[in-house]
């Protein structure tokens, strides 16, 4: 009988604890570690292995020979091991020189791992490990938490069984404790699911949790409550937006971040004039702005309208940001400039007319990008650099104050198109066509 089946039936599981799934997964991890390394004297905390630090990768075997690898690694430099009056065991005796950046980057993520893990159980176990590691808490500079919560759809029946249907309440206190003790934290990347956002907000707010050392915050828009907790951030990046006024709460929350100079977001339905107005109102000190995802194509914020957001309107509003020097706009096909992009399907470019179509698409894209650049330079001459999608123009400033911009295709469109045509076995150049 498989060990995993035995563990499922293990009698000491207590439903009254955090969650019985987490307890079972904890036992499974310990059993798997013993079977994989039966001669080990101690176990390396999984969160340290997950950091994929080169020093840990190269010294795994040596670390497993220590009497207590966790105490050795987790004791702050120059201090005794936890619950011990002795010097850190193993570092000197075993010739280990633990690098000063060992805990610079910490991550809790069950995706892309060698062994699949249930999201919430892995999340809680890694938080417990980090909470027991003073060195990690005091030294962590970057902390990323992006658990994938499968919701019971794992193909593996064991993972499906061990994924809690709801977030275990223990997670709330563990996150508050870990974040509150990360005194050197500079970058926080928060990717917890939408279903948990309200629980975290209601837990954090009355406790007054503040993260004063954080300078960069990356999150989904539904976790906007974290913005208020990080008053000293200079950069805020929003990965995803959802329709329905959540963007309003996010933009309004930035009023608590007076040092903010960089902001970027991808709105679900695209940028609208009211959203840009709020952005200018609440973030007047912005120096760098990423308007990712495109302009709105008919759905207003938050009401419904049949009016497209024009690039000219957006740029006029951004002119009120007196410190703005860097702007990132989406691809020209998303700016309502008369170009909506070429066919997405690669098959459209096959056959005798495929090369002709590709030439047309490349030229229209370049011309639409030129129109966007002209609009930006005419309205925001203070910009030192900007991008249209993946294209960044070379800007020349003349003594009389005028500007000019150029791209690789400027003044040589035909040559540039020929250089960028993809190779296809069938093209208009290799097939004779009767017209």
């Amino acid at each position: 009988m498989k060990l995993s089946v035995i563990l499922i039936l293990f009698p000491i599981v207590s439903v009254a604890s955090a969650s019985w799934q987490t307890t079972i997964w904890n036992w499974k991890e310990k059993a798997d570690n013993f079977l994989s390394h039966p001669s080990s004297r101690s176990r390396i905390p999984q969160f340290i292995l997950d950091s994929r630090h080169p020093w840990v990768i190269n010294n795994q075997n040596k670390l497993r020979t220590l009497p207590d690898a966790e105490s050795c690694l987790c004791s702050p430099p120059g201090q005794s091991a936890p619950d011990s009056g002795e010097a850190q065991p193993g570092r000197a005796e075993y010739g280990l020189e633990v690098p000063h950046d060992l805990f610079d980057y910490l991550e809790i993520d069950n995706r892309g791992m060698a062994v699949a893990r249930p999201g919430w159980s892995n999340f809680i176990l890694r938080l417990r490990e980090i909470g027991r590691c003073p060195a990690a808490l005091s030294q962590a500079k970057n902390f990323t938490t992006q658990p994938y919560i499968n919701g019971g759809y794992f193909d593996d029946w064991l993972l499906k069984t061990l994924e809690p249907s709801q977030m275990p309440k223990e997670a709330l206190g563990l996150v508050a404790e870990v974040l509150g003790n990360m005194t050197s934290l500079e970058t926080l990347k928060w990717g917890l699911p939408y279903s948990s956002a309200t629980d975290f907000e209601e837990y954090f707010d009355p406790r007054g949790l503040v993260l004063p050392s954080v300078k960069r915050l990356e999150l989904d828009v539904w976790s906007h409550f974290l913005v208020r907790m990080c008053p000293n951030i200079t950069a805020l990046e929003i990965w995803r937006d959802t329709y329905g006024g959540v963007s309003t709460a996010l933009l309004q929350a930035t009023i608590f971040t007076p040092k903010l100079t960089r902001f970027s977001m991808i709105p679900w339905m695209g940028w609208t004039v009211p959203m840009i107005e709020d952005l200018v109102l609440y973030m007047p000190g912005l120096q760098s702005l990423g308007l990712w995802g495109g302009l709105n194509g008919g759905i207003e914020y938050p009401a419904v309208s049949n009016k497209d957001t024009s690039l000219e309107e957006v740029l006029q509003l951004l002119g009120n940001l007196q410190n703005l020097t860097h702007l990132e706009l989406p691809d020209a096909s998303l700016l309502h400039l008369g170009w909506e992009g070429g066919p997405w399907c690669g098959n459209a470019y096959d056959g005798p007319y495929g090369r002709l179509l590709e030439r047309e698409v490349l030229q229209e894209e370049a011309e639409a990008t030129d129109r966007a650049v002209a609009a930006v330079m005419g309205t925001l001459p203070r910009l030192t650099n900007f991008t249209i999608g993946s294209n960044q123009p070379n800007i020349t400033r003349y003594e009389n104050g005028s500007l000019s911009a150029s791209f690789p295709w400027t003044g040589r469109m035909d040559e540039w198109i020929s250089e960028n045509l993809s190779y296809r076995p069938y093209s208009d150049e290799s097939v004779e066509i009767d017209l």
Side-chain angles (χ1 to χ4, degrees), residues 263-280:
F263 178 77
S264 59
M265 184 170 78
I266 305 178
W268 182 46
M269 287 297 180
W271 288 94
T272 66
V273 168
M275 290 174 68
I276 299 296
E277 290 175 338
D278 279 353
L279 184 152
V280 172

Side-chain angles (χ1 to χ4, degrees), residues 131-132 137 172-182 203-204 209:
R132 295 195 306 264
L137 292 172
L172 299 172
L174 285 172
V175 172
E177 180 182 0
V178 166
L179 289 181
N181 286 298
M182 285 185 167
Y203 189 87
F204 289 162
L209 182 62

Side-chain angles (χ1 to χ4, degrees), residues 62 90-97:
K62 184 177 289 187
R91 289 195 178 184
E93 293 84 341
Y94 289 86
L96 290 175
E97 295 183 7

Side-chain angles (χ1 to χ4, degrees), residues 155-178:
D155 293 332
D156 187 297
W157 71 270
L158 179 60
L159 292 176
K160 184 182 299 186
T161 302
L162 296 183
E163 181 70 274
S165 58
Q166 296 180 340
M167 178 187 69
K169 297 302 180 183
E170 182 188 3
L172 299 172
L174 285 172
V175 172
E177 180 182 0
V178 166

Side-chain angles (χ1 to χ4, degrees), residues 296-362:
N296 180 266
I299 299 180
E300 275 292 337
Y301 162 80
V304 176
S305 168
N306 59 3
K307 179 185 177 184
D308 288 348
T309 300
S310 73
L311 178 60
E312 290 74 15
E313 288 178 294
V314 169
L315 295 176
Q316 288 291 340
L317 288 170
L318 294 182
N320 295 310
L321 296 174
Q322 299 299 315
N323 299 323
L324 188 66
T325 58
H326 176 77
L327 176 64
E328 298 161 14
L329 291 173
D331 188 83
S333 62
L334 301 172
L335 295 175
H336 305 312
L337 294 171
W339 161 247
E340 297 181 356
W344 288 12
C345 178
N347 293 338
Y349 301 96
D350 289 336
Y353 293 98
R355 185 61 63 95
L356 289 174
L357 176 60
E358 189 175 5
R359 285 181 177 274
E360 179 181 329
V361 168
L362 286 171

Side-chain angles (χ1 to χ4, degrees), residues 244-261:
V246 182
S247 293
T248 311
L250 183 281
L251 294 173
Q252 290 175 349
T254 60
I255 198 172
F256 298 100
T257 59
K259 300 178 182 179
L260 191 66
T261 58

